[in-house]
Amino acid sequence: MKKQLLGFFAMSLTMCAFAQSSPVVEWGKLIDGSTTAGDQSTSVSVNSDGDVYWFGTNGSTAAAPEVSFDGSPIYTGALYDAGNSQNNNFTLLKTNADGEKLWVVYSNSGDFANNAGGTALTSDGGCVVVTKVRHTDGMLDRNISLFDANGTETTVEWTCDRRYYRMMVTKVSSAGRIEWVRMMDFSTEPGAGAAGGAYSDFWADTFNVGEVAVDADDNIYVALNYRNPLTVAKAEGGSETFVPVNTANWTGDSQTACGDFLLLGLNKQGYYRNSLTLEGTATVAYCSKLKYAGGKLFAQGYIIGDGSELKAAGKVLKPSSIMSPLVLCADTDLQVQWAKCFPGEQVAGRNALQNCGLEYVGGALWFVGQYNLKFSDPDDDTKFITSTQGTLREGFVVKLDAATGDWLAARNSRDDEFCQGGAFAKTGLTGYMSVIANPEKPDNIYVLGYVMNANVGVFMRRYDAATLVADLDGEFNLITKGGAPLLQTSAYDAANGVCYLTARGNRTFGMLGSEDSAAPANWGILAAKVKLPAGMQTAVSDVAVDGSENAPVEYYNLQGVRVAEPANGIFVRRLGSKVEKVVIR
């Protein structure tokens, strides 16, 4: 293979290798149990060193106990054999930027609720993990066990006669050591509205836990909806108890919408610090999502009103009797700066809101999600966003002023330019899951989402950040096939211009710009790294580069796509810190 070096193109080479016009999936690897019900991804976070924390629940049974990463077993889960389903095991996997496993923290007893809680990074390089856990079915006499990166067991002393959920807060070091575990209890005592049968004398599921956030001082914040009294220990001794008010007629059925909004603040050791609740009554109120940014805490949830006026620390909220999204901003003392409740209306008899997310960039707060609903600005009902048909859920993005909560712009997945021509493949069940924008160049945003369609799958769509007008050259299908791949989590590493995400599917996945394949056993999780288009990397003042001639050689085509075995053409070659164009014949 003859190579002609074109050293004078070194500068343009750098631009070519790292400023490609479209995203590229650099790698995709499965986090996979072998059970029929499959696995779920809850959160992904990337630290300043470029290491990635992947958290979720992975299934196991006695017949199929192994959980694997990239085809290799990483632990043996609970040996569940009490029925025909599975046990959901705690999985916290840390990788480097190349997708190489650094360590895993896991459970082999305890059934951890899917899509509950998550992780938040701490200043020491570790993380806090919030989960919702009960005993593995058939193992009520066994304590809950977590194992750290070295295989050391941490035991939660807990046996009981009946299964019920508790909240677990766990601190994990950067090296994968379990530093402490705090358990928080919600009462299982039935209330006045208890129904007969299974709910007459015992309530097993009395709360929902959303996201977790950590502030600059490593204080911890947890988003909750609770339906029975909660007791939280204090560092100095004693405890704080919360009693919900929106539960007078609750029967104990966890599928019933009821209960109260709670933003719970803990100190960095996991003890009670402060809290935020709503004043007044409603049919139900949720706190679901959290984002700490710019020294502020942003929270998102929803309220279904009962005709009463509510307040968030004195800020008036007027929800409708239909699901009404709530977004608020507070300082770290949980003093509310602003709060907005967007009155909801049904569309074609439907009213649902799910898979929401918040992102803060350069003074703007981006609220996204999936819905069949209409909701409007409480200060100006001419500003609204509505789903177009009500039957299949759609994606939405709303831009708010982060300082005031003022409504700035909004778009729906079925009314924008991407769906011109009535292409049904783009207008199936859709979710807008997150927004990424370069904080140094916030002129454009990328919305990450999915269409439940194997040809579209997990996508990125580019919009003008001021107007939310779509850029038709900025639509990219990142993960396809996979049955109908669903985007579950994502994290943006602006310093390196990459995004990490997880997609869930039950067949072989396809990845943009890659010929690699990944086939889960059943419903599995694809963890992927995406190199983002030009302009998505922030300036870096101090970069350590391996200039060794022993560093691996990497080749890219002129579109910035990595090529394993280049032949017959012009390519970009990178060897440590040396970057150049080469002609290969």
Side-chain angles (χ1 to χ4, degrees):
M1 184 169 61
K2 181 180 178 182
K3 303 177 184 178
Q4 177 184 352
L5 299 184
L6 306 177
F8 60 93
F9 282 118
M11 182 70 73
S12 61
L13 167 61
T14 303
M15 294 294 293
C16 185
F18 298 104
Q20 76 271 14
S21 60
S22 66
V24 176
V25 180
E26 292 194 343
W27 53 259
K29 301 182 179 184
L30 291 172
I31 308 172
D32 196 15
S34 299
T35 56
T36 303
D39 312 300
Q40 297 282 348
S41 175
T42 306
S43 65
V44 57
S45 305
V46 56
N47 67 17
S48 58
D49 294 326
D51 296 329
V52 191
Y53 291 83
W54 312 86
F55 174 68
T57 50
N58 292 82
S60 70
T61 65
E66 298 296 331
V67 175
S68 65
F69 174 62
D70 195 26
S72 298
I74 52 175
Y75 71 86
T76 299
L79 304 179
Y80 167 81
D81 63 358
N84 58 4
S85 184
Q86 66 180 42
N87 186 77
N88 296 316
N89 303 287
F90 177 115
T91 307
L92 177 65
L93 171 69
K94 186 178 182 181
T95 70
N96 63 18
D98 294 324
E100 298 167 335
K101 179 178 77 74
L102 300 178
W103 49 253
V104 63
V105 175
Y106 66 93
S107 66
N108 74 353
S109 66
D111 183 39
F112 290 80
N114 290 326
N115 305 312
T119 58
L121 302 183
T122 51
S123 63
D124 59 4
C127 69
V128 170
V129 190
V130 176
T131 51
K132 178 179 177 179
V133 61
R134 61 184 176 178
H135 280 81
T136 300
D137 198 6
M139 298 184 182
L140 296 178
D141 60 345
R142 181 172 173 178
N143 293 320
I144 308 301
S145 291
L146 296 177
F147 293 82
D148 71 9
N150 297 319
T152 303
E153 182 177 7
T154 295
T155 299
V156 175
E157 301 287 344
W158 177 24
T159 60
C160 54
D161 297 326
R162 301 171 77 166
R163 297 173 81 202
Y164 65 97
Y165 280 110
R166 303 170 75 187
M167 188 167 76
M168 177 186 289
V169 184
T170 306
K171 175 63 172 63
V172 180
S173 75
S174 61
R177 183 171 62 87
I178 298 172
E179 297 183 354
W180 50 258
V181 176
R182 305 277 177 257
M183 301 298 293
M184 298 179 193
D185 287 308
F186 296 77
S187 172
T188 59
E189 186 71 21
Y199 307 118
S200 61
D201 65 340
F202 188 80
W203 284 355
D205 189 354
T206 59
F207 69 100
N208 294 288
V209 57
E211 284 187 330
V212 57
V214 169
D215 68 19
D217 296 319
D218 287 334
N219 296 309
I220 304 161
Y221 304 89
V222 184
L224 289 163
N225 159 267
Y226 70 112
R227 303 181 290 271
N228 237 24
L230 161 65
T231 300
V232 185
K234 295 181 176 180
E236 65 274 17
S239 61
E240 187 80 9
T241 299
F242 299 89
V243 179
V245 299
N246 300 314
T247 57
N249 299 313
W250 188 44
T251 66
D253 181 357
S254 62
Q255 301 301 310
T256 302
C258 73
D260 292 20
F261 171 110
L262 174 61
L263 203 174
L264 178 64
L266 308 172
N267 68 14
K268 64 181 181 180
Q269 294 297 323
Y271 293 105
Y272 178 79
R273 178 173 176 264
N274 53 14
S275 58
L276 174 63
T277 58
L278 303 182
E279 307 165 48
T281 64
T283 299
V284 63
Y286 267 73
C287 185
S288 303
K289 300 292 182 179
L290 295 176
K291 173 67 65 175
Y292 175 76
K296 303 294 183 183
L297 193 69
F298 299 95
Q300 183 275 322
Y302 72 85
I303 304 171
I304 299 176
D306 64 0
S308 304
E309 180 180 273
L310 289 89
K311 292 183 179 180
K315 306 296 189 294
V316 175
L317 307 171
K318 296 181 179 179
S320 73
S321 60
I322 303 301
M323 188 174 287
S324 301
L326 167 69
V327 181
L328 63 80
C329 172
D331 62 23
T332 56
D333 291 326
L334 297 186
Q335 300 300 305
V336 176
Q337 311 297 298
W338 56 260
K340 303 283 184 177
C341 184
F342 307 100
E345 301 176 39
Q346 286 188 336
V347 175
R350 306 293 181 91
N351 54 278
L353 178 76
Q354 67 181 114
N355 295 330
C356 294
L358 288 175
E359 190 60 56
Y360 171 92
V361 182
L365 187 68
W366 300 93
F367 171 37
V368 296
Q370 185 177 44
Y371 74 148
N372 26 30
L373 187 71
K374 174 183 177 181
F375 60 90
S376 55
D377 182 353
D379 304 316
D380 181 356
D381 61 10
T382 66
K383 297 178 180 178
F384 63 88
I385 188 165
T386 183
S387 57
T388 58
Q389 57 176 306
T391 51
L392 293 176
R393 292 183 186 174
E394 306 171 26
F396 70 86
V397 53
V398 177
K399 181 182 182 181
L400 304 174
D401 186 315
T404 63
D406 290 345
W407 183 298
L408 300 177
R411 289 308 294 268
N412 173 277
S413 67
R414 289 201 182 98
D415 70 4
D416 67 21
E417 296 82 353
F418 290 120
C419 290
Q420 285 181 351
F424 181 77
K426 295 184 180 181
T427 57
L429 190 151
T430 305
Y432 278 6
M433 309 293 283
S434 64
V435 165
I436 57 177
N438 186 337
E440 295 179 354
K441 303 174 183 178
D443 295 339
N444 295 305
I445 64 165
Y446 285 94
V447 172
L448 293 177
Y450 72 90
V451 176
M452 193 175 283
N453 177 291
N455 296 319
V456 179
V458 176
F459 59 74
M460 288 178 59
R461 293 178 177 173
R462 186 165 60 225
Y463 293 85
D464 181 277
T467 63
L468 289 183
V469 171
D471 177 356
L472 293 181
D473 293 325
E475 182 179 29
F476 311 101
N477 299 329
L478 302 176
I479 309 294
T480 54
K481 303 178 183 178
L486 309 180
L487 176 64
Q488 292 207 300
T489 67
S490 64
Y492 172 39
D493 179 358
N496 293 297
V498 299
C499 174
Y500 297 92
L501 59 83
T502 58
R504 187 172 190 260
N506 64 349
R507 297 181 186 176
T508 302
F509 293 97
M511 293 169 269
L512 180 64
S514 172
E515 295 182 358
D516 293 342
S517 62
N522 285 289
W523 284 97
I525 301 300
L526 181 74
K529 178 184 180 181
V530 181
K531 182 65 180 177
L532 296 172
M536 295 304 292
Q537 183 173 0
T538 55
V540 181
S541 59
D542 183 15
V543 179
V545 179
D546 181 5
S548 168
E549 291 298 318
N550 295 320
V553 177
E554 297 175 344
Y555 290 94
Y556 296 82
N557 65 21
L558 297 187
Q559 288 71 49
V561 179
R562 188 170 177 177
V563 180
E565 296 181 1
N568 299 325
I570 300 175
F571 296 90
V572 174
R573 184 176 74 172
R574 181 171 66 182
L575 175 62
S577 60
K578 186 178 181 180
V579 182
E580 58 190 354
K581 266 186 181 178
V582 298
V583 176
I584 299 176
R585 303 182 189 282

